[in-house]
Amino acid sequence: MAKRLPLQGLWSNRMAFVLAVSGSAVGLGNIWKFPYITGQNGGGAFVLVYLLCVFAIGMPIMMSEIMIGRRGRRNPITTMRLVGEEESGQAWWQIIGVGGTLAGCIILSFYSVIAGWALAYIFKSISGVFMGSSAADVAEVFSSFTGSWPSVLLWYTAFLGMTVAIVANGVQRGLEKAVRILRPALMLLLLVLVLFSWRHGDFEAGFSFMFASDFSKLTANSVLVALGHAFFTLSIGMGAVMAYGAYLPEDSSIASASLAVVIVDTLIALAAGLVIFPLVFANGVSPSEGPGLMFKSMPLVFGAMPGGAVFGALFFALLTFAAWTSSIGLIEPAVSWMVEARHVSRVRAALTVGGLVWLLGIATVLSFNALSDFTFLRGTLYANIDFLASNILLPVGGLLITVFAGWVVCRNSSADELAIGTGVRFRLWRALTRLVAPLAVLLILLNAVGVLNLSGG
Ligand code: TRP
């Protein structure tokens, strides 16, 4: 069968592709979310399960998404329809694309609120409010900021506007050039911060919290959160990586590109934890603080550092930038679908989707102030929206993708597309994709809703 060609040219090489995918993967998930959910779920054992999920489930699914994307060479919805029809005669596989597109919009709604906090913190840092601050001062800055919804709404709107502006103009590639410089800068700064946290924090307590596994703290729900976060942080389970794969040149290795992304993403998350937890333990901040954890701990290091106002501003600027490149990947599926299927202009599509996401995000804005006492199921409105998107929609999407790649796509097509031969590496991918990933996701989901009781307790 003749290979389909992409509609808009190819990545110039594998490096450009790795930069784009890691630009979507590395973001608030690594630096803001990973530390706070680790804190809420008891540390070490959770981190271990998370790492297992990333490497044994996340990485094969990432390869599957890229493989399907390169086969289809269209937006995720069209790709799943085309490849689904070719491999199984069924068009309904496009449900993966539809669900993923929706999940992207839901995630973006809360993602932009937190990115708005980071944006605001650039200016707070540069003003010097954190210089010489105690943990109580820093916590006070955070709660008076997030406690007033008009200012949060303003920064949230500003960030979402930045995302819509880029997507409306279709100038994403410009940002990818910037990633090339700003990503290493972020990594270097994190490394410096780890050293500072080592000197000013309780490194031993932080380190052992993250890496000493106490499995008695692990609940069925924690395992689901670890799995959901593996999907969240790698940007998989919703077809986003599939969309990037559509532009991957035929001769680029999918396996090594995926491995590079997974490693960079994991290192950044672990480094963020190693900055935050030593500060948390040295300053009496509660590790189970929740979404405010990074904002209540990170400024402590800047307050104690010479030139801390500038370093703080730089850190929050690099973080905002990383969130910006991720947010584009969250909104792009919906926008490109509107452009291709509804034939509206990019500007109109971006404004429409952006407007709907903005409305939804108000629920998250209010979760930290006016509606903070309004809790049900998982907690605040924000906690429920995050749970639905990260811990239900992404794993279910990932389950369908891995079943499709492992059981529906025939062995020869996947061997041909992955091009890692048919030896041990291919067999490992296929075993993980056909058996390990689908079974693990299914068991974790069923266990968490209580249909199964694996711990026997
Ligand atoms: N991976 C991103 C982060 O860790 C968030 C994210 C989830 C994402 N799914 C995505 C980004 C899809 C782009 C596309 O911050």
Side-chain angles (χ1 to χ4, degrees), residues 24-30 107 111 229 231-236 238 240-241 244 265 325-330 394:
S24 108
V26 175
L28 295 172
N30 306 61
I107 293 176
Y111 204 83
H229 190 63
F231 284 88
F232 185 95
T233 192
L234 297 176
S235 305
I236 56 175
M238 51 169 277
V241 174
Y244 290 107
D265 190 84
T325 57
S326 297
S327 66
I328 289 163
L330 288 165
L394 295 186

PDB file of all heavy atoms in Angstrom, residues 24-30 107 111 229 231-236 238 240-241 244 265 325-330 394, ligand 1:
ATOM      1  N   SER A  24       5.810  19.542  24.523  1.00  0.00           N
ATOM      2  CA  SER A  24       4.461  19.319  25.033  1.00  0.00           C
ATOM      3  C   SER A  24       4.498  18.542  26.343  1.00  0.00           C
ATOM      4  O   SER A  24       3.708  18.785  27.248  1.00  0.00           O
ATOM      5  CB  SER A  24       3.605  18.626  23.966  1.00  0.00           C
ATOM      6  OG  SER A  24       3.362  17.288  24.293  1.00  0.00           O
ATOM      7  N   ALA A  25       5.449  17.624  26.456  1.00  0.00           N
ATOM      8  CA  ALA A  25       5.490  16.777  27.652  1.00  0.00           C
ATOM      9  C   ALA A  25       5.948  17.546  28.895  1.00  0.00           C
ATOM     10  O   ALA A  25       5.361  17.435  29.966  1.00  0.00           O
ATOM     11  CB  ALA A  25       6.405  15.571  27.417  1.00  0.00           C
ATOM     12  N   VAL A  26       7.027  18.309  28.756  1.00  0.00           N
ATOM     13  CA  VAL A  26       7.569  19.003  29.926  1.00  0.00           C
ATOM     14  C   VAL A  26       6.770  20.260  30.194  1.00  0.00           C
ATOM     15  O   VAL A  26       6.648  21.128  29.332  1.00  0.00           O
ATOM     16  CB  VAL A  26       9.052  19.377  29.694  1.00  0.00           C
ATOM     17  CG1 VAL A  26       9.564  20.211  30.860  1.00  0.00           C
ATOM     18  CG2 VAL A  26       9.885  18.127  29.533  1.00  0.00           C
ATOM     19  N   GLY A  27       6.196  20.344  31.360  1.00  0.00           N
ATOM     20  CA  GLY A  27       5.389  21.513  31.677  1.00  0.00           C
ATOM     21  C   GLY A  27       5.026  21.513  33.146  1.00  0.00           C
ATOM     22  O   GLY A  27       5.788  21.013  33.991  1.00  0.00           O
ATOM     23  N   LEU A  28       3.855  22.039  33.450  1.00  0.00           N
ATOM     24  CA  LEU A  28       3.413  22.091  34.840  1.00  0.00           C
ATOM     25  C   LEU A  28       3.320  20.700  35.440  1.00  0.00           C
ATOM     26  O   LEU A  28       3.483  20.522  36.645  1.00  0.00           O
ATOM     27  CB  LEU A  28       2.047  22.770  34.917  1.00  0.00           C
ATOM     28  CG  LEU A  28       2.013  24.231  34.501  1.00  0.00           C
ATOM     29  CD1 LEU A  28       0.577  24.723  34.429  1.00  0.00           C
ATOM     30  CD2 LEU A  28       2.804  25.073  35.496  1.00  0.00           C
ATOM     31  N   GLY A  29       3.055  19.708  34.587  1.00  0.00           N
ATOM     32  CA  GLY A  29       2.948  18.336  35.074  1.00  0.00           C
ATOM     33  C   GLY A  29       4.198  17.914  35.829  1.00  0.00           C
ATOM     34  O   GLY A  29       4.120  17.261  36.870  1.00  0.00           O
ATOM     35  N   ASN A  30       5.361  18.312  35.332  1.00  0.00           N
ATOM     36  CA  ASN A  30       6.614  17.895  35.943  1.00  0.00           C
ATOM     37  C   ASN A  30       6.929  18.680  37.205  1.00  0.00           C
ATOM     38  O   ASN A  30       7.376  18.112  38.197  1.00  0.00           O
ATOM     39  CB  ASN A  30       7.777  18.127  34.966  1.00  0.00           C
ATOM     40  CG  ASN A  30       7.522  17.468  33.632  1.00  0.00           C
ATOM     41  OD1 ASN A  30       6.558  17.804  32.946  1.00  0.00           O
ATOM     42  ND2 ASN A  30       8.352  16.516  33.277  1.00  0.00           N
ATOM     43  N   ILE A 107      -8.370  19.562  30.245  1.00  0.00           N
ATOM     44  CA  ILE A 107      -7.090  19.760  30.937  1.00  0.00           C
ATOM     45  C   ILE A 107      -6.649  21.217  30.800  1.00  0.00           C
ATOM     46  O   ILE A 107      -6.244  21.856  31.768  1.00  0.00           O
ATOM     47  CB  ILE A 107      -6.004  18.805  30.387  1.00  0.00           C
ATOM     48  CG1 ILE A 107      -6.351  17.358  30.745  1.00  0.00           C
ATOM     49  CG2 ILE A 107      -4.621  19.164  30.938  1.00  0.00           C
ATOM     50  CD1 ILE A 107      -5.401  16.320  30.166  1.00  0.00           C
ATOM     51  N   TYR A 111      -5.225  23.810  33.547  1.00  0.00           N
ATOM     52  CA  TYR A 111      -3.803  24.045  33.292  1.00  0.00           C
ATOM     53  C   TYR A 111      -3.508  25.548  33.174  1.00  0.00           C
ATOM     54  O   TYR A 111      -2.532  26.051  33.720  1.00  0.00           O
ATOM     55  CB  TYR A 111      -3.456  23.340  31.979  1.00  0.00           C
ATOM     56  CG  TYR A 111      -2.022  22.974  31.793  1.00  0.00           C
ATOM     57  CD1 TYR A 111      -1.515  21.797  32.342  1.00  0.00           C
ATOM     58  CD2 TYR A 111      -1.152  23.768  31.049  1.00  0.00           C
ATOM     59  CE1 TYR A 111      -0.205  21.429  32.148  1.00  0.00           C
ATOM     60  CE2 TYR A 111       0.158  23.405  30.858  1.00  0.00           C
ATOM     61  CZ  TYR A 111       0.629  22.230  31.408  1.00  0.00           C
ATOM     62  OH  TYR A 111       1.939  21.870  31.222  1.00  0.00           O
ATOM     63  N   HIS A 229      -1.031  10.155  36.137  1.00  0.00           N
ATOM     64  CA  HIS A 229       0.010  11.158  35.963  1.00  0.00           C
ATOM     65  C   HIS A 229       1.050  10.740  34.933  1.00  0.00           C
ATOM     66  O   HIS A 229       1.607  11.592  34.245  1.00  0.00           O
ATOM     67  CB  HIS A 229       0.680  11.520  37.289  1.00  0.00           C
ATOM     68  CG  HIS A 229       1.573  12.709  37.128  1.00  0.00           C
ATOM     69  ND1 HIS A 229       1.085  13.948  36.757  1.00  0.00           N
ATOM     70  CD2 HIS A 229       2.917  12.832  37.185  1.00  0.00           C
ATOM     71  CE1 HIS A 229       2.100  14.790  36.621  1.00  0.00           C
ATOM     72  NE2 HIS A 229       3.219  14.143  36.878  1.00  0.00           N
ATOM     73  N   PHE A 231       0.372   9.272  32.210  1.00  0.00           N
ATOM     74  CA  PHE A 231      -0.245   9.707  30.952  1.00  0.00           C
ATOM     75  C   PHE A 231      -0.180  11.216  30.814  1.00  0.00           C
ATOM     76  O   PHE A 231       0.146  11.745  29.762  1.00  0.00           O
ATOM     77  CB  PHE A 231      -1.709   9.255  30.891  1.00  0.00           C
ATOM     78  CG  PHE A 231      -1.866   7.797  30.580  1.00  0.00           C
ATOM     79  CD1 PHE A 231      -1.869   6.852  31.590  1.00  0.00           C
ATOM     80  CD2 PHE A 231      -1.992   7.367  29.276  1.00  0.00           C
ATOM     81  CE1 PHE A 231      -1.997   5.509  31.307  1.00  0.00           C
ATOM     82  CE2 PHE A 231      -2.123   6.016  28.984  1.00  0.00           C
ATOM     83  CZ  PHE A 231      -2.130   5.084  30.007  1.00  0.00           C
ATOM     84  N   PHE A 232      -0.521  11.901  31.906  1.00  0.00           N
ATOM     85  CA  PHE A 232      -0.559  13.367  31.882  1.00  0.00           C
ATOM     86  C   PHE A 232       0.812  13.940  31.525  1.00  0.00           C
ATOM     87  O   PHE A 232       0.952  14.751  30.624  1.00  0.00           O
ATOM     88  CB  PHE A 232      -1.008  13.869  33.256  1.00  0.00           C
ATOM     89  CG  PHE A 232      -1.219  15.355  33.358  1.00  0.00           C
ATOM     90  CD1 PHE A 232      -2.488  15.901  33.189  1.00  0.00           C
ATOM     91  CD2 PHE A 232      -0.160  16.204  33.640  1.00  0.00           C
ATOM     92  CE1 PHE A 232      -2.690  17.275  33.295  1.00  0.00           C
ATOM     93  CE2 PHE A 232      -0.348  17.581  33.746  1.00  0.00           C
ATOM     94  CZ  PHE A 232      -1.625  18.117  33.571  1.00  0.00           C
ATOM     95  N   THR A 233       1.831  13.486  32.220  1.00  0.00           N
ATOM     96  CA  THR A 233       3.147  14.101  32.055  1.00  0.00           C
ATOM     97  C   THR A 233       3.754  13.788  30.693  1.00  0.00           C
ATOM     98  O   THR A 233       4.495  14.587  30.136  1.00  0.00           O
ATOM     99  CB  THR A 233       4.095  13.700  33.212  1.00  0.00           C
ATOM    100  OG1 THR A 233       5.254  14.524  33.152  1.00  0.00           O
ATOM    101  CG2 THR A 233       4.513  12.247  33.140  1.00  0.00           C
ATOM    102  N   LEU A 234       3.424  12.620  30.125  1.00  0.00           N
ATOM    103  CA  LEU A 234       3.970  12.289  28.809  1.00  0.00           C
ATOM    104  C   LEU A 234       3.075  12.787  27.672  1.00  0.00           C
ATOM    105  O   LEU A 234       3.359  12.557  26.504  1.00  0.00           O
ATOM    106  CB  LEU A 234       4.178  10.775  28.679  1.00  0.00           C
ATOM    107  CG  LEU A 234       5.186  10.140  29.647  1.00  0.00           C
ATOM    108  CD1 LEU A 234       5.216   8.625  29.459  1.00  0.00           C
ATOM    109  CD2 LEU A 234       6.584  10.712  29.429  1.00  0.00           C
ATOM    110  N   SER A 235       1.977  13.446  28.024  1.00  0.00           N
ATOM    111  CA  SER A 235       1.012  13.945  27.022  1.00  0.00           C
ATOM    112  C   SER A 235       0.385  12.829  26.193  1.00  0.00           C
ATOM    113  O   SER A 235       0.006  13.046  25.046  1.00  0.00           O
ATOM    114  CB  SER A 235       1.652  14.947  26.039  1.00  0.00           C
ATOM    115  OG  SER A 235       2.258  15.999  26.698  1.00  0.00           O
ATOM    116  N   ILE A 236       0.277  11.615  26.755  1.00  0.00           N
ATOM    117  CA  ILE A 236      -0.284  10.522  25.961  1.00  0.00           C
ATOM    118  C   ILE A 236      -1.712  10.197  26.398  1.00  0.00           C
ATOM    119  O   ILE A 236      -2.188  10.718  27.399  1.00  0.00           O
ATOM    120  CB  ILE A 236       0.585   9.245  26.049  1.00  0.00           C
ATOM    121  CG1 ILE A 236       0.771   8.831  27.503  1.00  0.00           C
ATOM    122  CG2 ILE A 236       1.920   9.467  25.360  1.00  0.00           C
ATOM    123  CD1 ILE A 236       1.518   7.530  27.660  1.00  0.00           C
ATOM    124  N   MET A 238      -4.372  10.840  24.622  1.00  0.00           N
ATOM    125  CA  MET A 238      -5.386  11.701  23.994  1.00  0.00           C
ATOM    126  C   MET A 238      -5.084  12.016  22.532  1.00  0.00           C
ATOM    127  O   MET A 238      -5.752  12.860  21.940  1.00  0.00           O
ATOM    128  CB  MET A 238      -5.564  12.979  24.802  1.00  0.00           C
ATOM    129  CG  MET A 238      -4.279  13.716  25.115  1.00  0.00           C
ATOM    130  SD  MET A 238      -4.560  15.357  25.801  1.00  0.00           S
ATOM    131  CE  MET A 238      -4.804  16.278  24.280  1.00  0.00           C
ATOM    132  N   ALA A 240      -2.451  13.489  21.294  1.00  0.00           N
ATOM    133  CA  ALA A 240      -1.603  14.657  21.046  1.00  0.00           C
ATOM    134  C   ALA A 240      -0.282  14.244  20.393  1.00  0.00           C
ATOM    135  O   ALA A 240       0.174  14.853  19.424  1.00  0.00           O
ATOM    136  CB  ALA A 240      -1.338  15.403  22.353  1.00  0.00           C
ATOM    137  N   VAL A 241       0.302  13.167  20.926  1.00  0.00           N
ATOM    138  CA  VAL A 241       1.569  12.699  20.371  1.00  0.00           C
ATOM    139  C   VAL A 241       1.349  12.125  18.960  1.00  0.00           C
ATOM    140  O   VAL A 241       2.214  12.228  18.089  1.00  0.00           O
ATOM    141  CB  VAL A 241       2.199  11.657  21.321  1.00  0.00           C
ATOM    142  CG1 VAL A 241       3.429  11.036  20.716  1.00  0.00           C
ATOM    143  CG2 VAL A 241       2.538  12.295  22.663  1.00  0.00           C
ATOM    144  N   TYR A 244       1.676  14.903  16.576  1.00  0.00           N
ATOM    145  CA  TYR A 244       3.069  15.240  16.243  1.00  0.00           C
ATOM    146  C   TYR A 244       3.677  14.172  15.337  1.00  0.00           C
ATOM    147  O   TYR A 244       4.461  14.477  14.448  1.00  0.00           O
ATOM    148  CB  TYR A 244       3.913  15.369  17.504  1.00  0.00           C
ATOM    149  CG  TYR A 244       3.587  16.574  18.354  1.00  0.00           C
ATOM    150  CD1 TYR A 244       2.911  16.446  19.559  1.00  0.00           C
ATOM    151  CD2 TYR A 244       3.972  17.846  17.952  1.00  0.00           C
ATOM    152  CE1 TYR A 244       2.601  17.545  20.337  1.00  0.00           C
ATOM    153  CE2 TYR A 244       3.676  18.956  18.730  1.00  0.00           C
ATOM    154  CZ  TYR A 244       2.993  18.798  19.920  1.00  0.00           C
ATOM    155  OH  TYR A 244       2.697  19.887  20.687  1.00  0.00           O
ATOM    156  N   ASP A 265      11.726  14.001  30.365  1.00  0.00           N
ATOM    157  CA  ASP A 265      10.545  14.309  31.166  1.00  0.00           C
ATOM    158  C   ASP A 265      10.696  13.807  32.605  1.00  0.00           C
ATOM    159  O   ASP A 265      10.381  14.510  33.556  1.00  0.00           O
ATOM    160  CB  ASP A 265       9.313  13.679  30.502  1.00  0.00           C
ATOM    161  CG  ASP A 265       8.029  14.146  31.143  1.00  0.00           C
ATOM    162  OD1 ASP A 265       7.544  15.226  30.758  1.00  0.00           O
ATOM    163  OD2 ASP A 265       7.508  13.445  32.035  1.00  0.00           O
ATOM    164  N   THR A 325       4.176  26.100  25.872  1.00  0.00           N
ATOM    165  CA  THR A 325       4.362  25.127  24.781  1.00  0.00           C
ATOM    166  C   THR A 325       3.466  23.904  24.999  1.00  0.00           C
ATOM    167  O   THR A 325       3.005  23.305  24.043  1.00  0.00           O
ATOM    168  CB  THR A 325       5.835  24.680  24.637  1.00  0.00           C
ATOM    169  OG1 THR A 325       6.267  24.140  25.883  1.00  0.00           O
ATOM    170  CG2 THR A 325       6.742  25.807  24.237  1.00  0.00           C
ATOM    171  N   SER A 326       3.191  23.554  26.262  1.00  0.00           N
ATOM    172  CA  SER A 326       2.289  22.431  26.511  1.00  0.00           C
ATOM    173  C   SER A 326       0.843  22.813  26.190  1.00  0.00           C
ATOM    174  O   SER A 326       0.098  22.014  25.622  1.00  0.00           O
ATOM    175  CB  SER A 326       2.347  21.993  27.974  1.00  0.00           C
ATOM    176  OG  SER A 326       3.631  21.528  28.295  1.00  0.00           O
ATOM    177  N   SER A 327       0.467  24.026  26.557  1.00  0.00           N
ATOM    178  CA  SER A 327      -0.941  24.402  26.388  1.00  0.00           C
ATOM    179  C   SER A 327      -1.312  24.432  24.907  1.00  0.00           C
ATOM    180  O   SER A 327      -2.458  24.154  24.547  1.00  0.00           O
ATOM    181  CB  SER A 327      -1.220  25.741  27.064  1.00  0.00           C
ATOM    182  OG  SER A 327      -0.512  26.761  26.410  1.00  0.00           O
ATOM    183  N   ILE A 328      -0.334  24.745  24.065  1.00  0.00           N
ATOM    184  CA  ILE A 328      -0.603  24.726  22.624  1.00  0.00           C
ATOM    185  C   ILE A 328      -0.960  23.319  22.162  1.00  0.00           C
ATOM    186  O   ILE A 328      -1.889  23.120  21.386  1.00  0.00           O
ATOM    187  CB  ILE A 328       0.627  25.277  21.873  1.00  0.00           C
ATOM    188  CG1 ILE A 328       0.710  26.764  22.131  1.00  0.00           C
ATOM    189  CG2 ILE A 328       0.549  24.983  20.383  1.00  0.00           C
ATOM    190  CD1 ILE A 328       2.053  27.349  21.819  1.00  0.00           C
ATOM    191  N   GLY A 329      -0.242  22.325  22.688  1.00  0.00           N
ATOM    192  CA  GLY A 329      -0.541  20.939  22.338  1.00  0.00           C
ATOM    193  C   GLY A 329      -1.907  20.480  22.861  1.00  0.00           C
ATOM    194  O   GLY A 329      -2.502  19.559  22.318  1.00  0.00           O
ATOM    195  N   LEU A 330      -2.393  21.133  23.911  1.00  0.00           N
ATOM    196  CA  LEU A 330      -3.699  20.765  24.465  1.00  0.00           C
ATOM    197  C   LEU A 330      -4.852  21.319  23.635  1.00  0.00           C
ATOM    198  O   LEU A 330      -5.897  20.692  23.513  1.00  0.00           O
ATOM    199  CB  LEU A 330      -3.818  21.260  25.912  1.00  0.00           C
ATOM    200  CG  LEU A 330      -2.975  20.492  26.940  1.00  0.00           C
ATOM    201  CD1 LEU A 330      -2.868  21.260  28.251  1.00  0.00           C
ATOM    202  CD2 LEU A 330      -3.582  19.114  27.200  1.00  0.00           C
ATOM    203  N   LEU A 394      -7.718  10.035  30.286  1.00  0.00           N
ATOM    204  CA  LEU A 394      -6.425   9.669  29.700  1.00  0.00           C
ATOM    205  C   LEU A 394      -6.162   8.165  29.777  1.00  0.00           C
ATOM    206  O   LEU A 394      -5.791   7.546  28.771  1.00  0.00           O
ATOM    207  CB  LEU A 394      -5.264  10.457  30.328  1.00  0.00           C
ATOM    208  CG  LEU A 394      -5.244  11.972  30.099  1.00  0.00           C
ATOM    209  CD1 LEU A 394      -3.966  12.588  30.651  1.00  0.00           C
ATOM    210  CD2 LEU A 394      -5.398  12.326  28.634  1.00  0.00           C
TER     211      LEU A 394
HETATM  212  N1  TRP B   1       2.383  16.880  29.585  1.00  0.00           N
HETATM  213  C1  TRP B   1       1.943  18.172  29.993  1.00  0.00           C
HETATM  214  C2  TRP B   1       2.615  18.520  31.308  1.00  0.00           C
HETATM  215  O1  TRP B   1       3.171  17.670  31.959  1.00  0.00           O
HETATM  216  C3  TRP B   1       0.447  18.272  30.087  1.00  0.00           C
HETATM  217  C4  TRP B   1      -0.288  17.577  28.984  1.00  0.00           C
HETATM  218  C5  TRP B   1      -1.099  16.515  29.099  1.00  0.00           C
HETATM  219  C6  TRP B   1      -0.246  17.884  27.607  1.00  0.00           C
HETATM  220  N2  TRP B   1      -1.572  16.131  27.888  1.00  0.00           N
HETATM  221  C7  TRP B   1      -1.070  16.930  26.956  1.00  0.00           C
HETATM  222  C8  TRP B   1       0.410  18.842  26.864  1.00  0.00           C
HETATM  223  C9  TRP B   1      -1.226  16.960  25.587  1.00  0.00           C
HETATM  224  C10 TRP B   1       0.245  18.839  25.503  1.00  0.00           C
HETATM  225  C11 TRP B   1      -0.562  17.912  24.850  1.00  0.00           C
HETATM  226  O2  TRP B   1       2.596  19.633  31.744  1.00  0.00           O
END
